[in-house]
Amino acid sequence: MPKIVNSWNDFDPLKRVIVGRADNSCIPPEEPATSEKVPIDSPMRGMWGPRPVATVEAANAQLENYVTVLEGLGIQVDRPTPLQWNAPVITPDFRTDSMMTQMPPRDILLTIGNEIIASANSFRCRYFEYLAYWPLMREYFENDPEFKWSQAPRPRLTDKSYKHNYYDERISLEERLVRTANKDFVTTEYEPMWDAADVMRLGKDLFIQHGLTTNRTAMEWFKRYYPDLRVHAVNFPGDPYPIHIDATFVPLRPGLIINNPHRRLPEEQRKIFEANDWQIIDAAMPAHEEPPPLCYSSVWLSMNCLVIDHKTVIVEASEVHQAEQMDKLGMNVIPVPFRDVYAFGGGLHCGTADVYREGTCEDFFPNQVEDPTRV
Ligand code: DAV
């Protein structure tokens, strides 16, 4: 029987991938974790329910085109099964009135080698999002005898998991940045909580962003769950809403990472990269001054690209500066329009999850130095 699932990083040759869908997507009602993520001046504040049908159709059209481009590159594409997200979630511990989407599979599924593990998201509205991927997981399980189908411990998401009186609309951007620098986030350390998009995989090393959606307890959990891997906690003090590492710190090929110039990795956290001849360079500026309407993410989705192999990358079609930089770095750039999808949970990387990339678990950091990020 064939091997279906294998991926150790974000740049080895991609052969099979999941691409999300916009169907039935909702804007969730406010809850402890989301109030922190939605910028104060966002029109999404106070608004919830199904997203406008025309925007769903526009997003799906760009997703279909993305699938066509990927298939044209010889990559097999799988799709999630939409659920009716416009329904409440009721558990013994909480209730919220709507769920969200199955657009960004990257937030939910983490592929490490022959294992795909469903995450432990801190948003109550995302509690059942993994179900959209279960038909695919079942199929991989049936056909790949080595596939490990896993689920992180489900967080209870009671009030103990969030700080109270943390959200305050009067708080300034400067104060927000102080909170980020102090690693003071709305989530507590009561139980492991993490979004898969906070985990950057580089073979033997996992670099995990500590931010709004992933806590330190999750990193401790990763360390025990994967005793053969090295877990690193990274944080990016320049980001007022730190969520997901993939618009901040993006590896393009062995030895090269682009870093958001507004969210630089602090000097003392660079040691392990420098000691192993990795270059961290500033990403190009985004081509847009604002994200599209009803979008949670920042303009930095410009750097949320999908690397196909060490020489090929898909960049959003209007992100001309990012494309030019990739070109200068020796990458072949394939432009794909994706801005109509942004509001549904992210860019070209967020909109996918790895199923199969060639390659094995490599040690990219054999020169171990004193490493302040090590968990
Ligand atoms: O810059 O808003 C978006 C990442 C979504 N996965 C940002 C981060």
Side-chain angles (χ1 to χ4, degrees):
M1 281 204 275
K3 194 162 176 54
I4 294 177
V5 178
N6 179 70
S7 176
W8 288 101
N9 56 53
D10 270 305
F11 46 56
D12 279 347
L14 182 67
K15 297 294 165 194
R16 187 164 177 164
V17 73
I18 299 171
V19 172
R21 289 185 193 275
D23 310 62
N24 305 344
S25 293
C26 293
I27 296 173
E30 222 169 278
E31 53 164 294
T34 56
S35 358
E36 266 320 295
K37 176 54 195 149
V38 181
I40 299 157
D41 51 359
S42 167
M44 273 190 288
R45 283 217 166 269
M47 177 197 237
W48 66 278
R51 284 184 178 264
V53 175
T55 67
V56 173
E57 284 169 359
N60 271 338
Q62 291 197 336
L63 284 158
E64 292 302 331
N65 175 63
Y66 192 22
V67 170
T68 305
V69 170
L70 289 164
E71 287 176 344
L73 294 166
I75 297 163
Q76 186 171 344
V77 178
D78 295 331
R79 309 298 299 279
T81 305
L83 271 78
Q84 184 47 264
W85 303 113
N86 185 24
V89 177
I90 304 169
T91 77
D93 293 309
F94 68 82
R95 176 193 164 106
T96 187
D97 284 318
S98 154
M99 294 176 277
M100 211 163 102
T101 185
Q102 68 286 289
M103 199 314 274
R106 189 71 63 176
D107 299 2
I108 306 297
L109 302 178
L110 181 67
T111 312
I112 297 188
N114 60 350
E115 176 170 18
I116 300 181
I117 178 160
S119 54
N121 311 79
S122 64
F123 288 15
R124 291 171 173 170
C125 59
R126 308 194 78 172
Y127 199 72
F128 287 122
E129 212 166 299
Y130 69 95
L131 293 175
Y133 306 100
W134 251 220
L136 289 174
M137 300 281 269
R138 207 191 68 82
E139 182 192 326
Y140 304 157
F141 191 76
E142 205 165 82
N143 296 306
D144 177 351
E146 288 169 17
F147 170 52
K148 285 166 76 176
W149 177 359
S150 308
Q151 165 77 70
R154 311 253 43 220
R156 291 184 73 167
L157 306 181
T158 67
D159 290 344
K160 291 196 176 90
S161 292
Y162 312 99
K163 289 178 193 162
H164 297 280
N165 304 320
Y166 181 90
Y167 173 68
D168 180 346
E169 60 188 24
R170 291 158 305 183
I171 183 174
S172 66
L173 190 65
E174 287 67 34
E175 287 168 279
R176 262 174 204 289
L177 290 170
V178 171
R179 282 182 173 182
T180 305
N182 292 337
K183 298 176 204 152
D184 171 15
F185 304 113
V186 67
T187 40
T188 66
E189 296 296 342
Y190 185 69
E191 59 185 344
M193 291 183 279
W194 55 278
D195 277 14
D198 279 314
V199 183
M200 186 183 94
R201 307 160 302 137
L202 282 174
K204 247 184 111 54
D205 292 85
L206 300 178
F207 293 89
I208 309 183
Q209 170 169 242
H210 183 194
L212 298 180
T213 39
T214 294
N215 63 7
R216 285 290 302 210
T217 311
M219 302 192 198
E220 181 60 32
W221 179 84
F222 270 101
K223 182 179 152 181
R224 296 186 205 178
Y225 191 76
Y226 292 112
D228 297 334
L229 302 184
R230 295 177 294 233
V231 176
H232 308 264
V234 288
N235 68 294
F236 301 91
D239 187 354
Y241 303 98
I243 172 171
H244 302 168
I245 199 164
D246 57 354
T248 296
F249 204 55
V250 175
L252 296 186
R253 59 180 179 240
L256 182 63
I257 294 181
I258 54 172
N259 185 189
N260 186 318
H262 292 184
R263 311 173 184 166
R264 289 206 177 97
L265 185 69
E267 208 48 55
E268 68 276 8
Q269 294 184 31
R270 294 174 176 246
K271 290 181 185 152
I272 179 167
F273 295 97
E274 285 159 2
N276 289 278
D277 298 321
W278 278 69
Q279 233 193 324
I280 299 175
I281 62 168
D282 280 353
M285 290 303 286
H288 301 269
E289 309 229 310
E290 284 187 7
L294 303 183
C295 178
Y296 288 103
S297 306
S298 75
V299 288
W300 290 100
L301 288 181
S302 55
M303 53 186 293
N304 189 262
C305 58
L306 184 71
V307 178
I308 302 298
D309 59 42
H310 298 189
K311 287 193 157 68
T312 315
V313 62
I314 301 188
V315 176
E316 205 284 324
S318 66
E319 293 297 345
V320 286
H321 309 308
Q322 191 55 75
E324 187 187 336
Q325 180 186 40
M326 299 286 194
D327 182 64
K328 287 196 178 128
L329 290 167
M331 306 288 286
N332 298 316
V333 178
I334 302 171
V336 168
F338 213 65
R339 260 179 86 80
D340 290 342
V341 187
Y342 282 7
F344 292 80
L348 295 155
H349 187 260
C350 312
T352 57
D354 284 24
V355 179
Y356 194 96
R357 284 183 191 264
E358 288 173 1
T360 54
C361 179
E362 279 182 61
D363 185 353
F364 294 108
F365 302 95
N367 296 328
Q368 290 291 303
V369 284
E370 190 227 328
D371 176 6
T373 66
R374 189 71 185 272
V375 174

